[in-house]
Structure formats: C-alpha cells, structure tokens
Amino acid sequence: MSEADERAIVRSEIRWAVVAIAAVSVIMLAVIFAAIAMHINPPSNVERINPQDLHLSAEFTEANLGTKVEANGQITARIVATQFAFVPRCVVLPADRPVTLRFSSPDVIHGLLVSGTNVNTMVVPGYVSQVHTVLRKTGDLLMPCHEYCGLGHSEMSGTIRVVPSAQFRPGPDGRVACAAK
Amino acid sequence: MPQNRRLILAHLWVAFSVFVLAAALGVWQMWVRSPLAAPQDTPARYYQSVTGHGVSMAYVLTTFFIMGFGYFTAETALKTPLPSARWAWAGFWTALAGVAMTVAAILSGQASVLYTFYPPMTATPWFYVGLVLVVVGSWIWVAVMLVAMARFKRANPGAPVPLAMYATVANAIMWLWTTAGVSAEILFQILPAVFGWTQTIDVGLSRTLFSWTLHAIVYFWLFPAYIAFYTMAPRAAGGRLYSDTMGRLSFVLFLLYSLPVGMHHLFMDPEHSTGFKFIQMSLTALVSIPTLLTVFTISASMELAGRLRGGKGLFGWIKALPWERPMVLATGLAFFMLWFGGGGGLINMSYGMNAMVHNTAWVTAHFHLIFGGTVVIMYFAIAYEIWPSLTGRAPLSVATQRLQLWLWAIGMMVMTLPWHYLGLQGQWRRVASFNYADPRIGPWGPLVIVSLAGGVLLLVSAVMFVMNLLPRRAQVRLPEQGYSFALAVHPPQRVPAALNGFTVWNVLVAILMLVAYGFPILQFFIGNSPQAVIHPLTGG
Amino acid sequence: MHEDDHDGLTPAQIAEAMKATPRGALALAGITTGLLMAAWLAMYFLVFLPRGSVG
C-alpha cells in the first residue's frame, strides 16, 4: 500500500465532506429564510418577572387574565400556567389577525403547544413567555401542558377557541371570554 | 484476553439487568397511556415508573456499560492490564451504591421527578445523592482511562494510540466536561434546596446548566456504538477500516461539537435570547458533520469487505457482506434506524422549526431511535462480540442473536413511527393518560396501541438478549482467546500529535464553551435573576 | 501492529478490492443523505411553513 493510495482515500473523504457540508448548509439557509422572511423564531423575549408575587403583579392579576383588545387595537391573551390548570382554561381569539399570547408561572415549570399550529413555548417561573402568531383554523384547539409539572400534569389542559374575525366581539372594556358551552 | 474479566463482567451485568427491568417498565407505561385498561393505573405509579425507566436507561445501563467496555478496550487494545484494578473496583462499588440509593428513593415514591429533575420541583435528597455517587464512580473510570493512555504513550513513544482506545479516552474527556453542568446544578442549586439551606432556586440557571449536560450525554452513550462501527464492524465483515485518520478526526469532532450545543434543548425557553439560540443551532448543525463522515467511512469499509468477498458493481458488495454475523447485522440495522432518528434530530435542531415538534411524541420517537435504535443495538452486538473473550463461552446460537437483533429493530420501528405521526398531530409528552373520549384525541387510540405492540416486541427482545448471554449447563468452553480490533487499510505508523492526544482539543472545547455558554450563564448573575420557591414533590 | 491481530488479508487482495472502492460507498451515502434532505425539505414545506408564523 503506497502513499498514493492513502492520498486517494483522503481525497475521497474530503469530497464527501464537501457534500455533507453542502447538505447541512441547505438546512441552515432554509432555517434562516424562515426566521427572516417568515418571522418564525423561537419565543425568546427574556422578560423577567418575580414568580413569588405573580398574582400581585399588574399584568397577571386574576382580573387581567384572558383576552383583551388593547387601546391600540392589539389583541393579547394573558394566561397563568399553574399546578394543574391554565387560568383561564379557555381563551377566545380571532382567526386571521395578529395576536399575542403571554404566559407566566407562579410555581413550577410548565409548557404548552397549540395543536396544529407552531405555537409552542416553555413557561418557566421567573419569566414571561410571549408568542406572536396569526391563527388560521377556527374551532377549539387543544392547548395541553407539555412539560412535567407534578403528579397532576396529565389533567392540565386548556383550549384556544378560534372564532372567525367577524364573530370576535370584545365588550366595552375590550375583554372577551369563552361562553359556557 | 483481558485480565480483569470479573470487573468488566460485573459492570456489564449491572447494566443489562437494570436494562431488562427498565424495558418492562417502558411497556407498562405505554399500556397505561393506551386506550386499553392497565393494572396499577394511577398518575403516582406512572411517574414513578417513568423516573425509574429514564434513570435506568439513561444513567445506569449507559454508565455501567461504558465503564465496563472502556476497561475491556483498555486491556485488549493496549494489551496491558489496567493501571489500577483496585481503583476501578472502587469506582464500580461507588457507582453501585449510588444506584442502590437512587432506586430506593424512586421506590419510596418520593423521587418521581423524572430523570431530568425539573427544579423547583424537588425529590428526596437520596435521589440526587445517589446520582452524584454514580457520577463520582464514573469519574474514577475517567481517571483510570487517562492514566492507561498516558502509560501507553510513555512506554511506546511516538506510537499511535490504538483507535479504539483513542476514542474511549475522547469519550472519557468529553464525559468530564459533560458532567460539569449537571454536577453544578445538583451541588450548588438542588442539594442546598433539598437539605433545607435555601428555599428558592433560579430555574433559568438550572435549566441552562442541565442543558450543558443534556446533549453531550447522548454522545457519551453513542461513543461505544461508533467505536464498534470503526473498530469492530469492519473486521467482523471480513474487511478493514477505510481510514484510521478519519476515525480519529470524527471522534475529535464529537468531543468538540457535542458540548457547545445543549441550548438547542432550550429553543422554546423564555430565558435565552434568539442570538445565543442561533449560535448553538449553528454549532449543532456542525455536529452532524462527523456523523455524515462516519456514514461514508463505514460504508466504504463495508464496501471493501464486500468486494473482498467477491461483491461486484455499484451495490453488489452490499449483498456479499456476511449479514449472518451479528456485528454486521447490528451495524446495518443501527444505520437504518439512525436515518430516522438522525433525520428527526435535524428537524428538532432547526431553530424555529423546533416549535413544530417540541415536547411532543415526535421527540420521544427521535431519542428512542437514537438511543434504543443506534446505541443499544450496538451494545447488544458488542456484548455478543466480546463475550467469548470475557467468559470463555459463546453466547447462545448465532441464529438466536440474529432473531433478537431483528426483533429489536422491528419493535423500535413499530413503536416510533406512530409516535412521529402522533407528535405532529400534537400528542404531547409526559402524560399518564389521555382523554380518548375527546373527539380531538380519540383518533390517536389505534396508533397508540400499535406503538404498544412495538414495545412488547422490544421487551421480548430484551429478555432474549439476557437469555443469550446467561451461562448454561453443558456449555462448551472455548480456548482462551484475546480480542482483535479491526485494522485500517493503512495501519498508522505515526499520527500527528494532535490526533494522538487531546491537549489542543481541550483548549478548543474551553473556547467554544466560553462562546456558547459564557454569557447565557453569566446573565443569571446580573441584576435580580428571579428565584422560584421550591415545590417538594408530594405523594399522589 | 501486534502479530496476533493480523487479519490474514494480503496487500494484493486489499489493493484489488480497493480499486472500485469507495464508489459504492459514495453512491450509498449519497442516496441516503439525499433522501434525508428530501424528507427534511418535505417536512419544512408541507408541515412547518403552513402552520404559520410565530415568534
């Protein structure tokens, strides 16, 4: 076996490495495209909040939870994730309009996804998790807690009720709640 | 033949006995989650079982197997006894005491925090102390491996460290780096809380420290599989390793890029900014390079073997390979499952795309394919391969070994393909029961039952594996035999110092870790980082 | 190399088998990696992007 053979082996490995790097680059470019052009980024607002008196904070007091249309027209749903329920359990949001979901936890780690969408975030005590999205499908979407939060974890599930934009009618205070079904 | 056979066998038997019990727990868990009625179906039992399954598979099977296999490799590749069998035994007993403590804690029902802990939830202190002892035992193994390699280099100046040993030491060094994260989390955050010295935990920090460990630990488990691909499979197939240099380079790349990437587990977390998530995503993309290089190098080694056996044409060599040999069959099945597991991993690591699958059954499918599919099937093959030189007895017939390996691969695919699909439908993780009466969830039922059937196949295979290894009466004793690793096409006479040691690479790891984790950890020490009150887990 | 470790293959045998190697490996690794890329792109375009923007 000669030096030349050894060089041929190294050459073939380098040739393959180029193919491998090209393949990975395609993925990287697609991901960057989604981030910049489609605005699909991981929820990463790094917003601190004291979990020990969350219920006393201006934003996550019980009276301020649920969906609210702000004075500037922005639609925000505020939800507390706590052992073992989302408060409120059901949230109404309009389809085809930009909405913001804001979550926080007063106790342990929770997490959630909204089925059939890219809405997915961890809820870590000490932080506000924020997701901007536009919901396209109407109906009751599942919003389960997807992170182990104690023995009652399996019971912890909420609903995102997406209604056609025309049926989304906030009250005089800008609030909308799920009607009992 | 290895000197310290009892030491090696003791490690492997701890690993394999715990493995079979954990496989049984896994099947029961799937039964509970399915629409079928299962015994003992309570959330408390379920999470106790998930904790037991995760701890056994992720910490006990792996750590004990890797230690035992490391001792085997050191003695057979370097052809000298271990530098200190006494220290090795001390490591074994320390780790075993830790296992006993952890198992007792889990059995008490006061430790159902799963193997990933989730502070500010806390378990009984003995759970964590036991795990610390397992890690301390493994650190002794690291020291023995480092000394063994150093002595070899001193006794054979300029000679290349055999690839199997070089890779083992790469893994040992990586493990030392890897355990730093979780050790800091347990020693500085969790233990002070569970012993009552502090009442709060910085959860952002604890998640970040755990992420430090969480990806590299998977490569710790994976290393033996890759060592088998590079240094065992080519010989078992009747050929040679295509390139020794590429083997060294791949192992070094694993050491480098397994570590600064753990934050891809935190893509959906609110305590880190997009910038650092993006940096670690890019580094994660780089870790796919050594895997793709391995795919090529091992394919080329197998091609060489197939051609030596008369295989012709572009693909004729594949048919010519000796698939009847367990090591060759396992390698093929492992790569097949790696295609699915690795492909799922590529999607998980893709930054924003992680939102599509995070904490769904898709991820469970991904890591069962990587761990069960690629890692554990190679643990089986390694055990079959080295058993004669360890025990002087062959495992039960080659046909039962093949059947066992096939059952494992088929079971793994039947279990995980439905999980992938259900994950995309939104089936979420870590639940003891689903409300199948809900029309949005009901349609999942049949697929959950299919995956349970896959789990049953896996359990049958796990039991067969141990039966194949058990000593039997009237068994033929083989003549004493050593173990020979595969030769390379060009057995190296000299290798560059960088590929015969780790100094340069350690410096690079330190730099990469500083870039990837420096500020993400530092941020918790700036300003008032929020503290969460601890929540001791109470019995259901 | 330790003499116990010799695998009995002669340089001539290896040289002969190496003539066509690694064309097959390149084809196999190329096809499997290509399929992997195709699967990734299918997930990206058919599942991920239709699920809408988040951030």
Side-chain angles (χ1 to χ4, degrees):
Chain A
M1 296 268 97
S2 65
E3 285 289 309
D5 297 330
E6 172 79 49
R7 272 203 300 278
I9 288 177
V10 172
R11 229 179 6 254
S12 72
E13 293 276 6
I14 291 172
R15 206 176 307 141
W16 173 250
V18 171
V19 174
I21 291 168
V24 173
S25 305
V26 170
I27 289 180
M28 291 285 286
L29 287 174
V31 166
I32 293 170
F33 172 79
I36 293 172
M38 316 282 295
H39 303 287
I40 308 185
N41 282 290
S44 317
N45 56 320
V46 198
E47 186 181 336
R48 291 175 175 181
I49 193 167
N50 185 356
Q52 298 178 39
D53 54 13
L54 189 69
H55 60 293
L56 302 175
S57 70
E59 184 174 1
F60 288 95
T61 51
E62 191 150 5
N64 201 39
L65 298 179
T67 309
K68 187 181 178 193
V69 183
E70 313 283 355
N72 60 8
Q74 194 186 333
I75 303 165
T76 306
R78 295 184 178 81
I79 302 169
V80 166
T82 183
Q83 287 178 323
F84 296 102
F86 290 104
V87 185
R89 283 172 190 276
C90 174
V91 164
V92 188
L93 287 169
D96 304 320
R97 283 170 67 182
V99 296
T100 302
L101 298 153
R102 284 170 65 79
F103 303 87
S104 200
S105 162
D107 43 47
V108 299
I109 301 167
H110 302 278
L112 61 101
L113 57 83
V114 177
S115 58
T117 74
N118 280 328
V119 176
N120 195 326
T121 184
M122 298 299 299
V123 185
V124 176
Y127 296 86
V128 177
S129 306
Q130 177 172 280
V131 184
H132 304 289
T133 191
V134 177
L135 297 160
R136 302 286 178 196
K137 246 186 354 197
T138 57
D140 280 2
L141 306 184
L142 282 169
M143 184 178 68
C145 174
H146 66 30
E147 189 57 276
Y148 180 57
C149 55
L151 299 181
H153 165 58
S154 317
E155 307 305 315
M156 184 169 168
S157 190
T159 299
I160 298 288
R161 181 162 296 164
V162 187
V163 298
S165 198
Q167 289 169 31
F168 181 76
R169 296 189 197 91
D173 56 354
R175 296 186 177 282
V176 195
C178 285
K181 248 191 182 173
Chain B
M1 125 174 260
Q3 296 286 311
N4 288 290
R5 275 161 292 180
R6 284 187 54 217
L7 173 80
I8 297 163
L9 281 168
H11 282 86
L12 298 185
W13 274 121
V14 170
F16 297 150
S17 358
V18 166
F19 161 69
V20 173
L21 296 176
L25 291 179
V27 174
W28 176 79
Q29 288 157 217
M30 287 198 285
W31 188 3
V32 169
R33 288 159 59 99
S34 77
L36 310 174
Q40 292 285 323
D41 182 357
T42 67
R45 281 267 176 267
Y46 180 80
Y47 292 114
Q48 194 177 15
S49 177
V50 177
T51 308
H53 178 79
V55 165
S56 304
M57 291 295 195
Y59 298 146
V60 185
L61 162 65
T62 50
T63 310
F64 278 81
F65 180 86
I66 291 164
M67 288 161 70
F69 183 46
Y71 293 137
F72 173 86
T73 306
E75 295 209 325
T76 49
L78 303 182
K79 303 200 186 304
T80 50
L82 290 177
S84 170
R86 193 176 298 176
W87 274 107
W89 276 110
F92 172 78
W93 289 113
T94 307
L96 191 63
V99 171
M101 212 180 266
T102 301
V103 167
I106 296 171
L107 287 177
S108 79
Q110 301 303 309
S112 303
V113 293
L114 316 194
Y115 80 104
T116 36
F117 312 158
Y118 303 111
M121 254 192 292
T122 53
T124 162
W126 304 114
F127 177 69
Y128 309 105
V129 173
L131 290 176
V132 168
L133 288 180
V134 173
V135 171
V136 170
S138 74
W139 283 344
I140 297 176
W141 168 80
V142 171
V144 175
M145 291 296 102
L146 289 172
V147 172
M149 188 175 102
R151 283 200 184 168
F152 173 87
K153 285 173 85 167
R154 217 174 310 131
N156 305 274
V161 177
L163 180 59
M165 187 60 186
Y166 186 74
T168 301
V169 175
N171 200 20
I173 290 174
M174 190 187 75
W175 181 236
L176 216 48
W177 281 99
T178 304
T179 45
V182 71
S183 303
E185 183 199 7
I186 292 185
L187 296 179
F188 300 123
Q189 293 195 281
I190 295 181
L191 286 183
V194 291
F195 282 118
W197 304 326
T198 56
Q199 305 305 318
T200 60
I201 281 182
D202 185 333
V203 184
L205 176 60
S206 70
R207 286 182 69 75
T208 307
L209 290 174
F210 197 78
S211 85
W212 171 303
T213 299
L214 199 47
H215 189 73
I217 195 173
V218 179
Y219 279 90
F220 173 63
W221 306 333
L222 202 56
F223 254 78
Y226 277 69
I227 292 172
F229 292 155
Y230 278 96
T231 69
M232 294 178 148
R235 190 179 190 116
R240 288 194 173 182
L241 173 60
Y242 184 61
S243 167
D244 180 88
T245 312
M246 287 314 286
R248 287 168 198 270
L249 197 63
S250 293
F251 288 117
V252 162
L253 289 175
F254 281 130
L255 166 62
L256 280 185
Y257 292 118
S258 313
L259 280 152
V261 299
M263 255 165 67
H264 64 219
H265 292 262
L266 304 182
F267 280 155
M268 295 300 121
D269 271 42
E271 74 274 10
H272 290 293
S273 61
T274 47
F276 280 98
K277 287 176 180 174
F278 190 83
I279 290 176
Q280 295 219 7
M281 190 271 295
S282 311
L283 291 166
T284 308
L286 289 177
V287 85
S288 62
I289 300 292
T291 298
L292 289 170
L293 289 177
T294 299
V295 167
F296 175 69
T297 306
I298 302 308
S299 297
S301 310
M302 289 296 164
E303 180 181 357
L304 175 63
R307 294 198 186 284
L308 282 164
R309 295 169 59 88
K312 299 269 180 270
L314 206 52
F315 296 110
W317 55 273
I318 299 177
K319 228 184 126 199
L321 286 171
W323 293 107
E324 70 280 5
R325 297 182 192 162
M327 177 57 78
V328 178
L329 175 64
T331 299
L333 295 173
F335 274 108
F336 178 78
M337 289 186 275
L338 184 63
W339 189 91
F340 291 90
L346 280 178
I347 287 167
N348 302 342
M349 67 125 224
S350 296
Y351 192 61
M353 210 169 169
N354 183 258
M356 180 176 79
V357 292
H358 176 71
N359 268 351
T360 68
W362 169 284
V363 177
T364 325
H366 157 70
F367 70 75
H368 276 79
L369 276 168
I370 295 285
F371 182 80
T374 306
V375 172
V376 173
I377 204 168
M378 293 312 291
Y379 289 6
F380 297 151
I382 290 169
Y384 290 147
E385 179 88 0
I386 70 180
W387 218 246
S389 64
L390 283 177
T391 63
R393 289 176 280 100
L396 203 62
S397 78
V398 176
T400 56
Q401 294 174 41
R402 280 201 302 268
L403 178 63
Q404 186 263 326
L405 294 170
W406 272 113
L407 271 181
W408 186 261
I410 293 169
M412 193 55 76
M413 294 309 296
V414 172
M415 181 173 79
T416 54
L417 286 179
W419 284 359
H420 278 113
Y421 177 77
L422 291 169
L424 288 176
Q425 303 306 304
Q427 191 192 59
W428 58 101
R429 283 182 71 181
R430 309 183 182 100
V431 273
S433 55
F434 287 105
N435 176 16
Y436 290 100
D438 186 319
R440 295 165 296 181
I441 295 173
W444 299 349
L447 279 177
V448 175
I449 295 174
V450 171
S451 67
L452 169 62
V456 172
L457 291 182
L458 291 171
L459 179 58
V460 171
S461 171
V463 172
M464 272 183 79
F465 169 65
V466 168
M467 305 269 285
N468 284 346
L469 296 182
L470 280 177
R472 292 173 307 283
R473 265 188 236 174
Q475 198 173 16
V476 187
R477 288 206 75 85
L478 303 170
E480 290 230 337
Q481 51 186 304
Y483 185 79
S484 299
F485 292 93
L487 299 175
V489 171
H490 299 281
Q493 306 302 318
R494 284 235 177 275
V495 294
L499 292 180
N500 208 33
F502 295 97
T503 316
V504 186
W505 309 117
N506 273 319
V507 174
L508 276 175
V509 171
I511 294 170
L512 281 170
M513 288 309 266
L514 197 66
V515 171
Y517 271 104
F519 181 78
I521 289 178
L522 187 68
Q523 65 168 344
F524 299 107
F525 298 92
I526 299 171
N528 281 325
S529 189
Q531 306 287 317
V533 177
I534 59 166
H535 281 66
L537 182 100
T538 44
Chain C
M1 177 201 321
H2 211 274
E3 58 196 54
D4 305 346
D5 284 339
H6 206 278
D7 53 17
L9 296 171
T10 65
Q13 280 176 311
I14 294 172
E16 178 61 29
M18 280 293 282
K19 275 184 190 160
T21 309
R23 279 206 295 272
L26 204 59
L28 180 67
I31 290 170
T32 48
T33 306
L35 288 173
L36 194 69
M37 292 302 296
W40 189 92
L41 289 168
M43 291 294 296
Y44 179 84
F45 284 111
L46 302 180
V47 185
F48 171 56
L49 291 186
R51 288 187 177 192
S53 68
V54 285

